[in-house]
Amino acid sequence: MTWSARGFPYQEHEARRKVDQIGSVVMVGSGKGGVGKSFVASGLALSLAGMARRTGVLDVDIHGASLPSYLRVRPPLRTGRRGIEPKRSGGVKVMSVALFTGQNPVPMRGDAKESLITQLVALTDWGPLDYLVVDLPPSMGDELLSAFRLFGGKSRFLLVTTPSPNALSVVARLRRLIASERIPLEGVVLNMAYASERRGRSYPFGVADASSVRKMLRADVIAELPLEPAVNSESLVEVLRKSKETSTAFKALADRVVRGP
Ligand SMILES: Nc1ncnc2c1ncn2[C@@H]1O[C@H](COP(=O)(O)OP(=O)(O)OP(=O)(O)O)[C@@H](O)[C@H]1O
Ligand SMILES: [Mg+2]
């Protein structure tokens, strides 16, 4: 399949119109791969919807889309009168390139990526939303820069990390970029921070605790999420229904996003 950047000015206009109908955008990123960005983006979106907020989640991870598997949505998509209908999961409107491509690889670079992300925003019938949660891929490449450009003015950033020093040093670089772009930082989510309810006694992946993370990233740790083995076998809707510890942590995170510090 080839992708074209043609039609960009029209898509851009349409994307702006869609963004105007969103109350607030929460970008979920890290810089580092595999720390749980998609887990956090999905869980936050479901918890916001659980608080009766009109919520969408947009996957801008073109090559490694994993939102559809957390939220158990898959192709085909349908087109209605006002555009492509997003999938729904637990009350959340979901859009991802993987809903077009399924399990096929999506090789792509540069302008084509920017165009694709713009189109995902522009052609989707989001309707009015209180929150759009954006799941970012690792790195500081096209996807992140496209998201900054499209949503920068009305967005906040949620940094996800594990307590591992290796993750933290990468996340610290993204933290500097967010500051230089003047995007408000909502806070840090420490994922896989502890192994069980014996919280505080067990940091399985590294040495950093919430207070050292706060110092290193110059930002508040606003949620600590446990290791949750069920995420690999069940939908996140099910995980949140069954696991009190994880759902309580996500509810507190959603509450913080809605009400502020
Ligand atoms: N709290 C958790 N407990 C147990 N496993 C987790 C947790 N969070 C994430 N995982 C697992 O870690 C892996 C990476 O998670 P996820 O895909 O959410 O990370 P990511 O940062 O979005 O990755 P990528 O950089 O590829 O986008 C997945 O296999 C996921 O199931
Ligand atoms: Mg991801």
Side-chain angles (χ1 to χ4, degrees), residues 213-225:
V213 170
R214 185 180 307 117
K215 273 189 214 126
M216 188 164 173
L217 298 178
R218 291 177 294 110
D220 287 343
V221 174
I222 58 171
E224 288 183 71
L225 301 174

Side-chain angles (χ1 to χ4, degrees), residues 37-38 61 64 66 135-138:
K37 298 177 290 299
S38 303
D61 190 340
S66 49
D135 181 24
L136 291 161

Side-chain angles (χ1 to χ4, degrees), residues 47-63:
S47 300
L48 287 167
M51 293 168 70
R53 298 312 195 271
R54 295 168 299 178
T55 306
V57 62
L58 173 66
D59 186 357
V60 299
D61 190 340
I62 293 171
H63 309 294

